[in-house]
Amino acid sequence: MKKKIGKKRQITLSDIAATVGVAPMTVSRVLNQNGYVSDETRDKVLSVAKEMNYRRNGLARNLKRQRTETIGLVLGDISNPYSTELARAVRQAATANDYNLFICISEHSAEEDIAAFESLTSHSVDGLIVATRANDAGDEYLKSIVENNVPVVVIGRDFYHENIDYISADNLAGGFEATQHLVDLGHRRIGFIGAAFDQETKLKRLQGYFNALEKHGIEIDERLVTGRREVRSGVPGYSTEEIGYEGMKRLLSLPKRPTAVFARNDFTAIGAMTAIKEASLRIPQDVAIIGFDDIPLASHMSPSLSTVRQPMRLQGQIAAELLLKRIESESFPEREERILNCELIIRESTVSRKS
Amino acid sequence: MKKKIGKKRQITLSDIAATVGVAPMTVSRVLNQNGYVSDETRDKVLSVAKEMNYRRNGLARNLKRQRTETIGLVLGDISNPYSTELARAVRQAATANDYNLFICISEHSAEEDIAAFESLTSHSVDGLIVATRANDAGDEYLKSIVENNVPVVVIGRDFYHENIDYISADNLAGGFEATQHLVDLGHRRIGFIGAAFDQETKLKRLQGYFNALEKHGIEIDERLVTGRREVRSGVPGYSTEEIGYEGMKRLLSLPKRPTAVFARNDFTAIGAMTAIKEASLRIPQDVAIIGFDDIPLASHMSPSLSTVRQPMRLQGQIAAELLLKRIESESFPEREERILNCELIIRESTVSRKS
DNA sequence: CTGTTAGCGCTTTCAA
DNA sequence: TTGAAAGCGCTAACAG
């Protein structure tokens, strides 16, 4: 049974004003709790508003006020606990400062990145936190946003702009430490899984791997570096279990297979572990493996996964703070750059329980 | 070095119009690609718009158009892969229909639930998908939203309203099957972890557990049902690893401990597994355990976790479809209710590898 | 304490 | 093919 046909017009301030017999402005004052209104009027307005089930129109309000008290967060790869921790921290900081948070997901491409920026900015969010991977078209768009005076902060996105704050884990040092840990254990043939060849130079974790090898005088063997070969233009390079699995299989099929592997992130590492187990090799005795991120899965794996922990909550919190500072500043604050330390977490996948 | 002091006014349609020497309406036509505009005018407008780095004001546009082509999704417990799968599916369906998606997180309380509803509706989203747990204040608010003709669909939220579509996994049957699986294995003392006593009657999974016991003539022992005791009013009852850990410890300390446990969700189950291992008991020989959801962790645990898989992507997809149908319908569609089947996934935590 | 005026930036409608 | 007028619903600023 259809209840009613056609959607009814929404109730407005003027409707209430007319019913109560006051000016819309008075109703506005009551509802926003600012300005003086007599108790009598206030009560009447409130009761009528409630009766009519009034709901204010934020579009009109925000259009007039020129701010929304809302910030936007653009997230890629939302399945990674990395992202959700970040989101929680950002939300917490936002809420504490009376800002709402809208999250947009941009999983696959530069187009989605841009669609997310577009949809958030066109709703006039007061500021934007961007945690997707860099890509040319998206960077271009971000630039135009900033030049429209919308405050922006990026997290782990390799993009420089003088009016954008930059926050990141120290991926370079993290990659270095992970690799060095393997070297310290005596490994000389160390593989890397999860390179993205379209942006190789930008992948700090891979660079850290190169640096560590170089420091210890180990020659770089290109065959030990695997990743997504095909370059889909403008596609951010997230790494998944599948990529780890495929990559490891390729490494294991080499004439001289690596004795240890550094995977770009924990999901990749977990995929690689599956491949190692399938080949009936032991972890870490035959192949040692280390990941990156320290997602909850890492400590629950068997063997548990060594990894590099990055401070996600902290990154989110700092991002929100810097953004709010930008939003509430009258002028343009100095650009800030925060590179946060990572922590090497040694577990069973690199060091045998019994050794 | 501060670049500029004060934020500049945003560029408007009129600015472009003035520069080009046409009416704002003409610029609007060009930018929205509707109506006739001469090629010459169009080119000039476009080039000036680009030059001035014009960005349209969505608030004004949406205020006038009375729609935003945006839908909102309210998520609790975003750390649960359950939520992220849902979000991805919703986003996919929304994008495919040219709608944007804004996600809000409501982690802890009815207040946050309401804040999320408030912030999304006040931005005039065209519709709302709500996937947080039911709570009185939130339900009340939802009702007022619907009665303002905003289309709403709930997922797994136990709330009935004649104009709200309802989608859920069949938690009752899932809970029943999980418990019955344990009974079939010969267990008679079966515990439940993760009850929320303020809403016990609403927790379908627990009800399914009761039903299965009853069917098999097993008497219900209240001491075997653990959960959060303190009733924080209006707090949705999510279950975490800690709750599972604590609950299991309590169960293990009973004079006659259970030989099997059904945990309300996989996180709870994993926490419980930790407690079992700490007590030097074997899974499943000493205590068998089954969870719910089939998060990625479940299959990677050691022993791997038996569980009940619920179709998250499907729930998200259907929710989005029903919502869009409501949004695009002229009248008020019949309420739809979709209860989706779950699937029992048997792994090592209930059936020993070697048996 | 309350009301009036004006206008946020855009698009719908009608007219030219 | 283009323009003018009006107004979406709200609030800042000022006036009473």
Side-chain angles (χ1 to χ4, degrees):
Chain A
M1 177 199 66
K2 313 243 173 185
K3 277 273 306 232
K4 306 159 211 151
I5 300 299
K7 316 214 165 184
K8 32 168 219 263
R9 210 182 105 270
Q10 80 165 305
I11 306 294
T12 71
L13 273 191
S14 310
D15 294 329
I16 299 177
T19 309
V20 178
V22 294
M25 195 53 229
T26 303
V27 180
S28 168
R29 276 192 269 258
V30 172
L31 267 23
N32 290 297
Q33 314 189 48
N34 65 20
Y36 298 102
V37 183
S38 73
D39 287 351
E40 193 191 0
T41 311
R42 173 188 317 283
D43 291 348
K44 224 179 329 182
V45 166
L46 285 175
S47 84
V48 170
K50 181 151 198 189
E51 201 171 290
M52 299 178 92
N53 194 14
Y54 171 76
R55 196 153 296 287
R56 87 168 149 220
N57 185 319
L59 296 181
R61 179 170 206 245
N62 294 331
L63 174 60
K64 180 67 190 175
R65 302 181 69 203
Q66 303 280 57
R67 69 203 148 92
T68 56
E69 271 142 16
T70 298
I71 65 178
L73 170 62
V74 184
L75 241 40
D77 195 15
I78 196 192
S79 299
N80 197 322
Y82 158 106
S83 296
T84 54
E85 275 309 294
L86 190 67
R88 296 178 67 185
V90 170
R91 195 193 80 96
Q92 198 171 3
T95 304
N97 289 279
D98 293 317
Y99 278 79
N100 293 310
L101 175 66
F102 285 166
I103 301 169
C104 280
I105 311 174
S106 147
E107 289 191 287
H108 304 297
S109 62
E111 293 85 62
E112 291 185 357
D113 232 25
I114 291 175
F117 300 158
E118 173 76 40
S119 103
L120 288 167
T121 54
S122 92
H123 276 258
S124 302
V125 292
D126 294 338
L128 213 51
I129 298 178
V130 177
T132 45
R133 290 197 62 80
N135 60 78
D136 291 341
D139 289 350
E140 187 70 20
Y141 198 92
L142 266 189
K143 203 175 137 206
S144 90
I145 288 174
V146 180
E147 281 160 10
N148 253 281
N149 307 308
V150 178
V152 174
V153 174
V154 298
I155 301 179
R157 181 185 180 115
D158 226 318
F159 175 50
Y160 177 89
H161 188 287
E162 60 176 343
N163 285 319
I164 297 184
D165 298 322
Y166 174 88
I167 294 153
S168 177
D170 193 340
N171 290 301
L172 189 64
F176 184 91
E177 280 184 54
T179 310
Q180 181 160 262
H181 169 58
L182 297 174
V183 173
D184 287 346
L185 291 169
H187 296 283
R188 307 294 289 178
R189 287 189 65 73
I190 301 173
F192 183 94
I193 301 182
F197 291 97
D198 48 333
Q199 49 180 12
E200 193 168 329
T201 51
K202 289 188 196 154
L203 193 56
K204 296 266 173 52
R205 296 176 190 180
L206 177 56
Q207 191 57 50
Y209 160 88
F210 287 143
N211 292 353
L213 293 186
E214 189 174 356
K215 178 183 165 194
H216 292 281
I218 300 173
E219 205 172 333
I220 289 164
D221 183 342
E222 294 266 325
R223 289 163 303 180
L224 293 181
V225 177
T226 80
R228 199 157 37 71
R229 286 279 162 194
E230 86 277 31
V231 178
R232 281 183 293 162
S233 101
V235 177
Y238 293 113
S239 258
T240 60
E241 259 188 84
E242 287 90 319
I243 288 176
Y245 180 80
E246 298 297 338
M248 194 69 225
K249 280 183 72 155
R250 231 174 301 151
L251 291 181
L252 290 177
S253 69
L254 290 176
K256 284 181 67 179
R257 61 171 164 77
T259 62
V261 192
F262 170 32
R264 177 213 183 119
N265 68 25
D266 287 344
F267 277 116
T268 318
I270 287 162
M273 285 173 80
T274 304
I276 298 172
K277 287 174 186 169
E278 273 185 16
S280 301
L281 294 169
R282 292 164 306 162
I283 305 172
Q285 295 87 342
D286 298 318
V287 184
I289 180 160
I290 185 166
F292 208 112
D293 284 348
D294 196 26
I295 63 177
L297 240 167
S299 60
H300 286 295
M301 292 294 295
S302 176
S304 57
L305 179 66
S306 294
T307 188
V308 179
R309 178 184 296 159
Q310 57 167 321
M312 287 321 302
R313 294 198 69 80
L314 191 57
Q315 288 181 71
Q317 189 193 321
I318 293 176
E321 281 163 8
L322 291 180
L323 187 70
L324 293 178
K325 185 169 143 205
R326 270 189 188 278
I327 290 172
E328 280 159 14
S329 153
E330 281 304 309
S331 56
F332 293 82
E334 214 56 28
R335 170 178 189 271
E336 298 218 33
E337 179 168 318
R338 302 281 179 85
I339 311 286
L340 304 173
N341 289 335
C342 296
E343 185 189 354
L344 184 65
I345 308 283
I346 299 172
R347 299 204 180 94
E348 298 161 4
S349 70
T350 53
V351 178
S352 170
R353 208 186 311 230
K354 282 144 195 164
S355 74
Chain B
M1 175 198 67
K2 314 245 171 180
K3 276 274 306 240
K4 306 157 210 154
I5 301 299
K7 315 213 165 185
K8 37 170 213 260
R9 211 182 103 271
Q10 79 167 303
I11 306 296
T12 72
L13 274 189
S14 310
D15 295 330
I16 299 176
T19 308
V20 179
V22 293
M25 195 52 231
T26 303
V27 179
S28 169
R29 275 193 269 258
V30 172
L31 265 25
N32 290 297
Q33 316 189 45
N34 65 19
Y36 298 101
V37 183
S38 71
D39 287 350
E40 192 192 0
T41 311
R42 172 187 318 283
D43 291 347
K44 223 180 326 183
V45 166
L46 286 176
S47 84
V48 170
K50 179 147 198 192
E51 201 171 290
M52 298 178 91
N53 194 14
Y54 170 77
R55 198 151 295 286
R56 87 171 148 217
N57 184 320
L59 296 181
R61 179 169 207 246
N62 294 331
L63 174 59
K64 183 68 189 173
R65 302 182 69 200
Q66 304 282 55
R67 70 203 145 89
T68 56
E69 272 142 14
T70 298
I71 66 179
L73 170 62
V74 183
L75 243 39
D77 194 16
I78 196 192
S79 300
N80 197 322
Y82 158 107
S83 296
T84 52
E85 274 308 294
L86 191 65
R88 296 178 66 184
V90 170
R91 195 193 80 97
Q92 196 171 6
T95 304
N97 289 278
D98 293 317
Y99 279 78
N100 293 310
L101 175 67
F102 285 165
I103 301 170
C104 279
I105 311 174
S106 147
E107 289 192 290
H108 305 297
S109 63
E111 294 85 63
E112 292 185 356
D113 233 23
I114 291 174
F117 300 157
E118 172 76 39
S119 101
L120 287 166
T121 54
S122 92
H123 277 259
S124 302
V125 290
D126 293 338
L128 212 51
I129 297 177
V130 177
T132 45
R133 289 197 64 78
N135 61 78
D136 290 342
D139 289 350
E140 187 70 22
Y141 198 92
L142 265 189
K143 204 175 136 205
S144 89
I145 288 174
V146 180
E147 281 160 9
N148 252 282
N149 306 308
V150 178
V152 175
V153 174
V154 298
I155 301 180
R157 180 185 181 114
D158 226 319
F159 174 51
Y160 177 89
H161 188 286
E162 59 176 345
N163 285 320
I164 297 184
D165 298 322
Y166 174 87
I167 294 153
S168 177
D170 193 341
N171 291 300
L172 190 64
F176 184 91
E177 280 185 54
T179 310
Q180 180 159 263
H181 169 57
L182 297 174
V183 173
D184 287 346
L185 291 170
H187 296 283
R188 306 293 290 177
R189 289 190 63 73
I190 301 173
F192 183 93
I193 302 183
F197 292 97
D198 50 331
Q199 48 179 15
E200 195 168 327
T201 52
K202 288 188 196 152
L203 194 55
K204 297 265 173 52
R205 295 176 190 179
L206 178 57
Q207 191 56 50
Y209 160 87
F210 287 143
N211 293 353
L213 293 185
E214 190 172 355
K215 178 184 166 195
H216 292 281
I218 300 173
E219 206 173 331
I220 289 165
D221 183 341
E222 294 267 326
R223 289 165 302 182
L224 293 182
V225 177
T226 79
R228 200 156 32 74
R229 286 280 163 196
E230 85 279 28
V231 177
R232 281 181 293 160
S233 100
V235 177
Y238 293 113
S239 259
T240 61
E241 259 187 83
E242 286 91 317
I243 288 175
Y245 179 80
E246 299 297 338
M248 193 69 226
K249 279 182 76 153
R250 232 175 299 151
L251 290 182
L252 291 178
S253 70
L254 289 176
K256 282 182 68 179
R257 61 172 164 76
T259 63
V261 193
F262 170 32
R264 174 214 187 119
N265 68 25
D266 287 344
F267 278 115
T268 320
I270 286 162
M273 285 173 80
T274 305
I276 298 172
K277 288 175 185 167
E278 273 183 15
S280 300
L281 294 169
R282 292 163 306 160
I283 305 172
Q285 294 88 342
D286 299 317
V287 184
I289 180 160
I290 186 166
F292 207 112
D293 284 350
D294 196 26
I295 63 177
L297 239 167
S299 60
H300 285 296
M301 293 294 295
S302 176
S304 55
L305 178 66
S306 292
T307 188
V308 179
R309 178 183 298 161
Q310 59 167 319
M312 287 320 304
R313 295 198 69 81
L314 191 57
Q315 288 182 73
Q317 189 193 321
I318 293 176
E321 281 163 8
L322 291 181
L323 187 71
L324 293 178
K325 186 169 142 204
R326 270 190 189 277
I327 291 173
E328 280 160 13
S329 152
E330 281 304 308
S331 57
F332 292 83
E334 214 53 31
R335 170 178 188 273
E336 299 216 34
E337 178 168 318
R338 303 280 179 85
I339 312 286
L340 304 173
N341 289 334
C342 296
E343 184 189 354
L344 183 65
I345 308 284
I346 299 173
R347 299 205 180 95
E348 298 162 4
S349 70
T350 54
V351 178
S352 167
R353 210 187 308 233
K354 282 145 198 164
S355 75

